[in-house]
């Protein structure tokens, strides 16, 4: 198995927002697999971590929401000074780093709108008890780039001992030319839970498998470890 190492930096986020760079552009792209994985991580998988973090706060908040001082203290524990008390309501909460979360009318089921993307991406998050969460993609408005469309998105996660773990990930992405990428966990993805407004951009351990089909066939695993990642074929 061939293994290529990379150091993750802010440039990875720039790839996410620079437009759709997939295998259909491979003649102009020296490493389409790496750019594809970084784009899809930033657009689809990173919001799962942010969604679980904000849901973990919001679920805890529901139990103490009538005690405003305790609620604000809890929000500060997660988000530091990054949140505004004026954005914390019984039914909805917004913080710039994560997005917004709101109740749905169904107990323990929340609607999460991811932040930092150039298109609106909405998820349903179910608090299943004992720190477990089920995250499902609901819609995408295809805003900045209509080449993108979500076909399926579901993940299972748990918050335990200050760590978010994602293990039940299954997501796919399809371009208009029917090139399809399926993403799945190849090892539990772990990331420290946000604290005091500080949060991690990438997992500290775990791996994601990418399977590409259509006009190009490819498969590889991106493995994360201590701020670095390796691509394995």
């Amino acid at each position: 198995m061939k293994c290529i190492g990379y150091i993750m930096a802010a440039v990875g986020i720039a790839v996410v927002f620079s437009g759709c760079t997939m295998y259909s552009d491979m003649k102009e792209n020296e490493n389409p697999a790496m750019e594809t994985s970084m784009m899809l991580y930033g657009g689809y998988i990173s919001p799962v971590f942010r969604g679980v973090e904000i849901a973990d706060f919001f679920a805890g908040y529901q139990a103490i929401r009538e005690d405003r001082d305790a609620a604000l203290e809890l929000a500060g524990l997660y988000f530091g000074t990054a949140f505004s008390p004026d954005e914390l309501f019984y039914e909805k909460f917004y913080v710039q780093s994560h997005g917004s979360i709101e109740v749905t009318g169904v107990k323990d089921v929340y609607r999460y709108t991811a932040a930092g993307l150039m298109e609106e991406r909405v998820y349903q998050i179910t608090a299943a008890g004992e720190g477990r969460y089920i995250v499902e993609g609901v819609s995408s408005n295809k805003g900045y780039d209509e080449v993108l469309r979500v076909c399926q998105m579901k993940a299972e996660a748990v918050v335990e001992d200050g760590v978010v773990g994602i293990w039940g990930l299954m997501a796919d992405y399809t371009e208009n030319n029917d090139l399809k990428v399926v993403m799945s966990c190849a090892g539990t993805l772990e990331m420290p839970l946000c604290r005091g407004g500080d949060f991690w951009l990438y997992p500290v351990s775990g791996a994601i498998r990418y399977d590409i089909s259509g006009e190009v066939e490819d498969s590889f695993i991106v493995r994360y470890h201590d701020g670095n990642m390796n691509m394995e074929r």
Side-chain angles (χ1 to χ4, degrees):
M1 177 177 285
K2 187 177 181 180
C3 179
I4 305 173
Y6 294 84
I7 298 176
M8 296 177 293
V11 66
I13 300 301
V15 172
V16 173
F17 300 131
S18 65
C20 182
T21 306
M22 290 285 288
Y23 283 75
S24 55
D25 304 316
M26 62 189 306
K27 291 180 180 179
E28 303 174 6
N29 191 350
E30 292 183 358
N31 193 337
M34 179 52 63
E35 293 203 19
T36 294
S37 67
M38 295 183 77
M39 183 188 73
L40 295 180
Y41 173 84
Y44 293 98
I45 299 172
S46 178
V48 175
F49 281 107
R50 301 286 82 85
V52 170
E53 289 176 330
I54 197 171
D56 195 59
F57 159 72
F58 204 58
Y61 163 68
Q62 297 303 313
I64 61 170
R65 65 185 194 179
E66 294 184 4
D67 185 336
R68 187 66 175 174
D69 290 339
L72 293 177
E73 182 178 352
L74 182 64
L77 179 64
Y78 282 78
F79 307 109
T81 59
F83 84 100
S84 167
D86 294 337
E87 298 285 0
L88 178 58
F89 302 96
Y90 284 0
E91 300 85 7
K92 187 174 183 178
F93 174 59
Y94 169 79
V95 60
Q96 185 176 11
S97 58
H98 286 63
S100 65
I101 190 166
E102 57 191 291
V103 298
T104 63
V106 179
K107 181 176 172 58
D108 297 326
V109 177
Y110 307 111
R111 174 186 171 92
Y112 168 61
T113 303
L117 302 175
M118 298 177 71
E119 60 174 14
E120 182 178 87
R121 188 129 332 122
V122 179
Y123 298 83
Q124 176 179 287
I125 301 181
T126 302
E130 298 183 345
R132 295 182 298 114
Y133 297 90
I134 299 170
V135 183
E136 298 175 86
V138 176
S139 67
S140 170
N141 68 4
K142 304 181 184 178
Y144 79 103
D145 190 341
E146 292 197 0
V147 172
L148 299 176
R149 64 176 184 264
V150 179
C151 297
Q152 180 184 7
M153 172 71 208
K154 186 172 183 178
E156 297 179 51
V158 65
V159 177
E160 187 174 25
D161 297 329
V163 175
V164 179
I166 296 174
W167 71 91
L169 173 70
M170 179 58 68
D172 65 50
Y173 163 105
T174 306
E175 284 191 333
N176 285 343
N177 60 7
D178 293 326
L179 189 69
K180 181 176 181 178
V181 183
V182 176
M183 295 159 275
S184 58
C185 282
T188 301
L189 296 167
E190 292 188 332
M191 179 184 293
L193 186 68
C194 63
R195 279 292 179 259
D198 296 328
F199 60 90
W200 293 67
L201 293 177
Y202 293 95
V204 295
S205 64
I208 303 170
R209 180 181 177 88
Y210 294 82
D211 291 296
I212 295 94
S213 60
E215 65 179 52
V216 175
E217 301 288 330
D218 198 3
S219 64
F220 54 88
I221 292 174
V222 175
R223 196 172 301 279
Y224 298 91
H225 55 96
D226 300 327
N228 300 313
M229 65 181 181
N230 292 330
M231 176 179 287
E232 300 174 354
R233 293 186 177 280

